[in-house]
Amino acid sequence: IPSSEVYDENDLVMISPANTNPLVTERGLDTVNRVCGRDDLQGPTGANYAAELGVTSVYVLHDTTAYGQGVAEFFQAEAEALGVTVLGFEGTEETTNFDGIIQPILALSPEVIYFGGLYPQSGVFISQARAAGYTGEFMGPDGFDSSEFAELSGDAGIGTYYTSVAG
């Protein structure tokens, strides 16, 4: 966002393939464009899909970045508006050992864990959550969209849902 203001002041066109924060384009700068989904569409779309699946409870986790937390907040708001019980909302910077996070989530038994974040963190988390006994569904944003997600999550990632602008 700060860079885009400099670009706009100097009439340099910016086309972002990855910046999902709504403020990137909502500021109305003529030179700023995006070709990816916004957090305020991805989060609610995930929540709507969860509700369509009949989900009644979810735990929302995010990576504490502007991207991960932002999309998680939009997911949470829409889930609550749809009557889905949000059992928890938490941010973490953990990348390798999620046991201290997983055990309390398991105790709540959410049907879905929504992880707002990127594949290096979410793939490891999902693998560890399955190994710890979580049997529900996983959901997230386009930050999961990587072949490396499959490598990191292994068989635990099979069936994970995520929003993306492309199939």
Side-chain angles (χ1 to χ4, degrees):
I1 291 174
S3 298
S4 66
E5 293 169 2
V6 173
Y7 301 154
D8 189 64
E9 290 170 8
N10 291 282
D11 293 322
L12 180 63
V13 174
M14 173 186 149
I15 302 172
S16 173
N19 297 117
T20 59
N21 187 311
L23 291 177
V24 170
T25 51
E26 278 189 357
R27 295 167 298 139
L29 301 178
D30 291 334
T31 60
V32 178
N33 305 275
R34 82 169 88 227
V35 292
C36 61
R38 293 168 31 148
D39 296 342
D40 61 344
L41 296 175
Q42 285 196 74
T45 297
N48 276 288
Y49 190 68
E52 288 175 18
L53 292 174
V55 169
T56 61
S57 67
V58 63
Y59 193 95
V60 182
L61 188 62
H62 63 82
D63 65 5
T64 73
T65 66
Y67 164 70
Q69 183 172 344
V71 73
E73 288 172 349
F74 284 114
F75 177 91
Q76 177 187 17
E78 185 68 13
E80 290 173 339
L82 294 168
V84 176
T85 301
V86 177
L87 300 172
F89 184 90
E90 175 180 5
T92 182
E93 294 178 3
E94 181 59 58
T95 59
T96 58
N97 182 354
F98 292 94
D99 192 53
I101 296 167
I102 293 169
Q103 293 307 317
I105 294 173
L106 288 175
L108 296 171
S109 300
E111 294 172 74
V112 168
I113 297 173
Y114 183 89
F115 195 116
L118 301 173
Y119 65 87
Q121 192 178 21
S122 63
V124 174
F125 170 80
I126 288 171
S127 177
Q128 291 180 12
R130 281 280 186 250
Y134 181 69
T135 58
E137 304 291 341
F138 294 105
M139 296 185 85
D142 60 355
F144 286 25
D145 192 1
S146 170
S147 57
E148 289 182 50
F149 172 82
E151 293 172 24
L152 292 167
S153 63
D155 288 347
I158 295 172
T160 296
Y161 297 100
Y162 64 91
T163 52
S164 183
V165 296

